[in-house]
Amino acid sequence: MKGGLGNIMKQAQAMQEKMQLAQEELAKTEVEGSSGGGLVTVTMTCRHDVRKVNIDDDLLSEDKAVVEDLVAAAVTDAVRKVESTTQEKMSGLTAGMGLPAGMNLPF
């Protein structure tokens, strides 16, 4: 029994190290969300840090509410891409763990 528990502890430690590396990699990974056919783009890391917002000069003559809506839509698009990218990265780590369907790490 002791050897089995030791192996489980080693596996858990290895998984924790892999998770740490994956989180560090995701913190550096950038995605770009856009709206208005590319008139507004938002660059965001997979830690949800916004790095850059670009608004096409032609859009600046539009009503303020239109610009605000397009910025919000571009941020939402970037967040969805962050979620997708994070899901892909983490699913590779948890694939061999035998977790029940729908149970993802981190909890």
Side-chain angles (χ1 to χ4, degrees):
M1 178 72 178
K2 190 174 184 178
L5 182 59
N7 286 338
I8 291 172
M9 294 300 289
K10 285 181 185 178
Q11 288 176 348
Q13 184 177 7
M15 176 55 120
Q16 187 176 18
E17 290 171 3
K18 288 180 183 178
M19 290 288 287
Q20 177 76 27
L21 290 173
Q23 289 172 343
E24 290 171 7
E25 184 179 325
L26 284 169
K28 297 175 189 173
T29 301
E30 292 183 348
V31 299
E32 185 175 277
S34 66
S35 66
L39 293 175
V40 176
T41 59
V42 173
T43 303
M44 177 183 289
T45 70
C46 286
R47 282 187 42 177
H48 297 95
D49 296 329
V50 175
R51 296 284 187 216
K52 183 177 171 185
V53 176
N54 186 25
I55 301 171
D56 189 278
D57 290 337
D58 294 337
L59 190 58
L60 296 177
S61 63
E62 290 292 326
D63 182 48
K64 179 182 176 211
V66 171
V67 176
E68 291 172 341
D69 288 346
L70 288 173
V71 170
V75 170
T76 299
D77 186 45
V79 168
R80 299 288 183 262
K81 290 178 179 177
V82 164
E83 291 169 353
S84 176
T85 302
T86 301
Q87 179 74 26
E88 287 175 22
K89 180 68 175 173
M90 292 305 188
S91 68
L93 285 176
T94 60
M97 292 185 63
L99 294 176
M103 183 179 276
N104 296 319
L105 291 177
F107 298 107

